[in-house]
């Protein structure tokens, strides 16, 4: 196995402990990197949460702020809040991706490297123990050889002294000779054992430092390089995760710039003017008062003029609702309850028709009230249609339920519809009064209200058929909801409490000459008329608006070229009102 020079240097320097310490530091660094990414994710989540909390704090929370949202600068700010909320979502996405793609893999890598390092170190420790055991055997053999050599030297020396001593017998000399010979043989045997063990130990040591331990160090090196490579990939992945959301964040920033560009100061000023204009006429010139005439006039004329002035002022003051003269003295404690009652009733009355508001503001309030009532009427009508359908199902299949159980609910619904239509008619009268419209338009609205009331007062079976005919239509497939203009006399409409009523004659009389044009509209989609009450239109064709949508999805228009009038679907046109 090829070993790099760096590993050989480490082996030569016997830096096994340092290598083991370095690999441990690498594992610690890997875990430290994982902890960094984890804390980064927590910061991203916290930052996103604070951004969302900030956006929620500045969202309009009440009706007053909703009314202010019509201004372009407020709409721009709301668009900015939306983009900031999206930016917060991108930071949450960064945290989620890092947690799933980086943190989990970093912890797995640290655990894997730790197990692999433990395995390699145990193998190196085992090899080191084997080498140490071989060296111990060598030392043991060497010690035995040294001991035998010393005994051999002593025996040989004794034999030489005995052989030189003439006083010793031949037997004693022979004894020393045999002992010397035995010790020499033992020394030679231990010498051979020592030489063999030395050869084995040297071979083991050479294999240990040139093959076995380099393999362990090479495995440790591969492990450490793998750890570094994986950390390099994780660092790049963190950058890629953040880079992937940068285009989306840039898009959000572009949205903020677009929101800023959409701010229109002139439009906001027009909205303020439209919102607060009163409709009052400007006051006339203040008349000049010639004081010389009063000064040179007679005393009687002066007194008479004063008295007339006082009477006029008292009369005007009384007409304006202010107590004057003697009645003014009774405005103390005893006049509290009577005055408060009259003031309360007067306040309630003015609140109902909004006559206490300027003309323009009064019209806005009345239009808003009428729109709310029409929405309520449409809701109740839809509920009634649903109950009628359910009643028809019960009649066809009595096993599903009792049809008569819905009679009371239908009766209550009819009463609600009557009350709502009466309220709507009343406020339409207030609006007509505020707008100063003529009799034809108000009569026309009254006739429409009468027609609605007659429809409400019909029998349950007639209401069932009418409810199936007047279901709300989806855009693109409108139903003819103004069928009251072309129904036959036996449809049930003429049988109301006000006597016979011909729908076709009503349509011909509904739009008298001289009705003011409310605006213009352009056909967005083509429409083919299916009855006499409606009018066909081509895409892009322009009409004059005679009557606005009354909540049924149809608008009355007039083709100026031919004078033809009729109803068209509101969802098919783009209207511009004067």
């Amino acid at each position: 196995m090829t070993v790099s020079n760096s590993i050989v240097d480490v082996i030569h320097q016997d830096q096994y402990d340092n290598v083991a310490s370095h690999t441990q530091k690498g594992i610690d660094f890997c875990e430290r990197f994982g902890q960094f990414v984890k804390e980064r994710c927590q910061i991203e989540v916290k930052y996103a949460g604070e951004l969302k909390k900030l956006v929620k704090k500045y969202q309009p929370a009440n009706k007053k702020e909703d009314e202010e949202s019509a201004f372009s600068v407020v709409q721009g700010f709301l668009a900015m809040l939306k983009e900031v909320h999206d930016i917060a979502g991108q930071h949450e996405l960064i945290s989620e991706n890092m947690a799933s793609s980086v943190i989990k893999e970093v912890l797995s890598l640290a655990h894997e490297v730790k197990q692999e390092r433990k395995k390699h170190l145990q193998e190196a420790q085992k090899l080191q123990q084997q080498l140490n055991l071989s060296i111990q055997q060598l030392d043991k053999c060497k010690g035995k050889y040294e001991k035998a050599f010393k005994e051999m030297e002593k025996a040989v020396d004794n034999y030489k002294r005995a052989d030189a001593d003439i006083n010793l017998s031949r037997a004693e000399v022979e004894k020393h000779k045999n002992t010397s010979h035995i010790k020499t043989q033992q020394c030679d045997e231990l010498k051979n054992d020592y030489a063999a063990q030395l050869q084995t130990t040297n071979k083991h040591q050479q294999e240990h430092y040139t093959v076995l331990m380099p393999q362990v160090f090479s495995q440790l090196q591969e492990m450490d390089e793998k750890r570094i490579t994986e950390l390099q990939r994780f660092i790049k992945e963190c950058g890629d995760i953040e880079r992937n959301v940068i285009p989306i964040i840039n898009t959000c920033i572009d949205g903020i710039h677009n929101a800023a560009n959409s701010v229109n100061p002139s439009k906001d000023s027009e909205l303020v003017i439209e919102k607060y204009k009163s409709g009052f006429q400007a006051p006339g010139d203040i008349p000049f008062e010639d004081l010389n005439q009063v000064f040179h006039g007679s005393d009687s004329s002066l007194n008479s003029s004063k008295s007339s002035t006082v009477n006029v002022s008292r009369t005007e003051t009384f007409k304006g609702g202010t107590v004057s003269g003697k009645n003014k003295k009774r405005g103390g404690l005893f006049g509290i309850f009577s005055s408060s009652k009259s003031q309360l009733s007067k306040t309630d009355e003015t609140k109902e028709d909004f006559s206490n508001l300027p003309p323009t503001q009064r019209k806005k309030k009345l239009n808003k009230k009428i729109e709310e009532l029409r929405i309520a009427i449409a809701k109740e009508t839809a509920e009634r249609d649903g109950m009628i359908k359910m009643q028809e199902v019960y009649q066809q299949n009595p096993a599903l339920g009792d049809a008569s159980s819905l009679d009371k609910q239908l009766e209550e619904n009819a009463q609600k519809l009557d009350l709502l239509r009466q309220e709507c008619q009343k406020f339409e009268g207030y609006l007509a009064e505020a707008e100063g419209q003529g009799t034809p338009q108000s009569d026309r609205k009254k006739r429409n209200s009468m027609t609605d009331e007659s429809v409400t007062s019909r029998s349950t079976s007639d209401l069932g058929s009418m409810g199936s005919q007047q279901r709300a239509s989806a855009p693109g497939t409108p139903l003819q909801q103004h069928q009251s203009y072309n129904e036959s006399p036996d449809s049930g409409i003429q049988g109301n409490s006000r006597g016979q009523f011909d729908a076709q004659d009503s349509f011909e009389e509904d739009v008298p000459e001289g009705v003011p044009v409310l605006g213009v509209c352009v056909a967005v989609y083509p429409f083919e008329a299916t009855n006499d009450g409606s009018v066909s239109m081509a895409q892009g064709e322009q009409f004059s608006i005679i009557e606005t949508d009354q909540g049924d999805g149809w608008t009355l228009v007039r083709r100026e070229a031919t004078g033809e009038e009729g109803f068209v679907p509101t969802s098919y046109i783009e209207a511009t009102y004067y």
Side-chain angles (χ1 to χ4, degrees):
M1 185 175 190
T2 305
V3 182
S4 62
N5 292 330
S6 59
I7 293 296
V8 173
D9 294 339
V10 170
I11 295 173
H12 290 172
Q13 296 172 7
D14 194 15
Q15 298 294 321
Y16 170 78
D17 294 336
N18 293 334
V19 172
S21 176
H22 171 74
T23 54
Q24 180 60 42
K25 289 179 180 179
I27 295 174
D28 295 339
F29 178 78
C30 187
E31 294 176 346
R32 183 184 176 191
F33 177 79
Q35 185 65 25
F36 162 76
V37 178
K38 183 178 180 180
E39 293 182 5
R40 165 77 186 278
C41 292
Q42 293 174 353
I43 292 173
E44 293 288 348
V45 171
K46 185 176 180 180
Y47 177 64
E50 292 295 329
L51 278 182
K52 288 187 175 181
K53 189 186 298 183
L54 181 66
V55 170
K56 184 178 180 181
K57 177 181 178 182
Y58 285 92
Q59 286 286 354
N62 51 44
K63 188 175 180 181
K64 183 178 179 181
E65 293 183 0
D66 289 338
E67 293 176 354
E68 293 178 354
S69 62
F71 297 107
S72 63
V73 65
V74 179
Q75 293 175 357
F77 176 66
L78 294 178
M80 177 183 177
L81 291 180
K82 180 179 179 299
E83 300 298 341
V84 172
H85 187 275
D86 294 342
I87 292 175
Q90 297 306 312
H91 284 281
E92 287 182 343
L93 185 62
I94 291 175
S95 176
E96 292 175 1
N97 292 338
M98 284 189 177
S100 60
S101 302
V102 178
I103 296 178
K104 186 176 180 181
E105 294 186 10
V106 167
L107 295 178
S108 176
L109 175 65
H111 179 73
E112 180 182 352
V113 172
K114 190 180 295 184
Q115 295 297 326
E116 187 175 355
R117 174 181 177 274
K118 181 178 179 182
K119 176 184 176 181
H120 295 328
L121 293 182
Q122 287 177 351
E123 184 178 357
Q125 187 176 5
K126 181 180 178 181
L127 294 175
Q128 190 67 38
Q129 288 176 355
Q130 291 176 356
L131 178 61
N132 292 336
L133 182 62
S134 179
I135 293 174
Q136 289 176 2
Q137 291 293 333
L138 177 62
D139 292 339
K140 187 176 181 180
C141 291
K142 183 180 178 181
K144 289 181 179 179
Y145 168 66
E146 289 178 348
K147 181 178 180 182
F149 180 78
K150 290 179 180 180
E151 290 179 353
M152 183 195 68
E153 285 183 339
K154 184 177 180 181
V156 171
D157 187 57
N158 290 334
Y159 168 68
K160 288 180 178 181
R161 283 199 302 270
D163 187 41
D165 189 0
I166 58 175
N167 296 321
L168 293 178
S169 63
R170 189 71 181 172
E172 290 179 354
V173 174
E174 199 62 35
K175 181 180 178 181
H176 285 289
K177 181 180 179 180
N178 291 334
T179 302
S180 173
H181 181 68
I182 293 172
K183 293 297 181 181
T184 302
Q185 288 181 350
Q186 291 178 353
C187 181
D188 291 337
E189 291 176 359
L190 291 176
K191 180 180 179 181
N192 294 331
D193 292 341
Y194 169 67
Q197 184 62 40
L198 179 62
Q199 186 178 2
T200 302
T201 302
N202 287 333
K203 182 179 178 181
H204 194 180
Q205 179 173 298
Q206 184 180 8
E207 185 181 6
H208 176 82
Y209 284 106
T210 58
V211 179
L212 299 178
M213 285 302 295
Q215 289 179 355
V216 174
F217 279 106
S218 178
Q219 292 172 351
L220 289 173
Q221 182 180 2
E222 291 177 358
M223 177 197 73
D224 200 53
E225 290 178 356
K226 176 184 175 182
R227 173 188 63 83
I228 296 172
T229 303
E230 290 296 316
L231 286 176
Q232 179 188 20
R233 183 174 66 86
F234 293 148
I235 293 173
K236 288 182 179 179
E237 191 168 357
C238 289
D240 291 338
I241 289 172
E242 193 160 3
R243 178 183 293 171
N244 291 335
V245 302
I246 286 178
I248 303 176
I249 294 177
N250 289 334
T251 304
C252 295
I253 295 173
D254 293 339
I256 294 174
H257 281 282
N258 294 334
N261 294 332
S262 66
V263 176
N264 190 340
S266 301
K267 182 180 177 182
D268 289 353
S269 298
E270 292 176 0
L271 290 176
V272 174
I273 293 170
E274 183 67 23
K275 182 177 180 181
Y276 294 109
K277 68 179 181 180
S278 63
F280 289 126
Q281 296 293 331
D285 296 338
I286 300 174
F288 177 75
E289 296 181 4
D290 192 356
L291 300 179
N292 290 330
Q293 295 180 0
V294 179
F295 179 76
H296 293 292
S298 60
D299 295 338
S300 60
S301 62
L302 181 62
N303 292 331
S304 62
S305 65
K306 286 184 179 180
S307 61
S308 63
T309 304
V310 171
N311 291 333
V312 170
S313 64
R314 287 183 178 180
T315 304
E316 292 177 352
T317 305
F318 180 75
K319 288 181 179 179
T322 305
V323 180
S324 60
K326 294 181 180 180
N327 293 334
K328 187 174 182 180
K329 295 180 181 179
R330 301 184 62 183
L333 181 62
F334 298 100
I336 291 176
F337 300 101
S338 60
S339 62
S340 63
K341 289 180 180 178
S342 61
Q343 185 69 19
L344 180 61
S345 61
K346 184 177 180 181
T347 303
D348 293 340
E349 183 180 358
T350 55
K351 283 184 178 180
E352 183 180 9
D353 62 355
F354 304 107
S355 59
N356 58 328
L357 298 176
T360 304
Q361 302 299 324
R362 183 187 180 191
K363 293 176 188 177
K364 290 183 179 179
K365 292 289 185 181
L366 289 172
N367 281 321
K368 185 177 181 181
K369 183 68 176 179
I370 292 171
E371 186 67 23
E372 292 175 356
L373 290 172
R374 287 175 179 171
I375 292 174
I377 290 172
K379 182 180 178 182
E380 293 295 332
T381 304
E383 291 181 0
R384 187 174 187 83
D385 292 342
M387 288 188 288
I388 291 172
K389 289 180 185 178
M390 188 178 296
Q391 193 176 48
E392 291 176 355
V393 172
Y394 289 167
Q395 290 175 354
Q396 295 174 2
N397 192 355
L400 296 177
D402 186 10
S404 61
S405 62
L406 297 173
D407 292 340
K408 185 177 179 180
Q409 298 180 12
L410 286 169
E411 184 179 355
E412 293 177 355
N413 182 271
Q415 292 176 0
K416 290 181 181 179
L417 280 172
D418 288 338
L419 292 175
L420 288 172
R421 287 194 175 96
Q422 291 174 8
E423 286 290 317
C424 187
Q425 182 180 358
K426 179 173 65 174
F427 279 96
E428 284 176 351
Y430 291 154
L431 180 61
E433 178 186 352
E435 292 179 347
Q437 293 180 346
T439 306
Q441 184 72 8
S442 60
D443 291 343
R444 178 188 176 199
K445 291 185 178 180
K446 289 180 181 179
R447 284 199 299 273
N448 291 337
S449 300
M450 291 168 61
T451 305
D452 293 338
E453 291 177 2
S454 66
V455 173
T456 306
S457 61
R458 290 182 299 176
S459 62
T460 305
S461 60
D462 292 339
L463 282 168
S465 61
M466 190 65 182
S468 63
Q469 293 173 357
Q470 292 190 351
R471 290 192 296 268
S473 60
T477 57
L479 297 175
Q480 302 304 321
Q481 298 184 3
H482 286 267
Q483 293 176 0
S484 59
Y485 291 105
N486 52 17
E487 285 182 331
S488 60
D490 57 352
S491 62
I493 296 180
Q494 71 277 13
N496 53 40
S497 59
R498 292 180 176 84
Q500 301 298 324
F501 181 77
D502 192 345
Q504 184 63 30
D505 296 340
S506 167
F507 174 73
E508 293 175 356
E509 296 175 0
D510 259 355
V511 188
E513 295 181 0
V515 174
V517 177
L518 304 180
V520 294
C521 65
V522 178
V524 181
Y525 308 103
F527 172 70
E528 186 68 27
T530 57
N531 55 43
D532 295 337
S534 58
V535 60
S536 300
M537 60 181 182
Q539 184 176 2
E541 190 175 1
Q542 185 170 348
F543 298 87
S544 297
I545 299 176
I546 305 302
E547 180 188 355
T548 58
D549 189 348
Q550 302 295 321
D552 54 5
W554 294 85
T555 301
L556 183 60
V557 299
R558 179 170 63 203
R559 183 182 281 111
E560 295 295 344
T562 61
E564 183 182 4
E565 297 179 354
F567 288 92
V568 296
T570 306
S571 59
Y572 278 45
I573 61 174
E574 183 176 308
T576 303
Y577 294 97
Y578 297 147

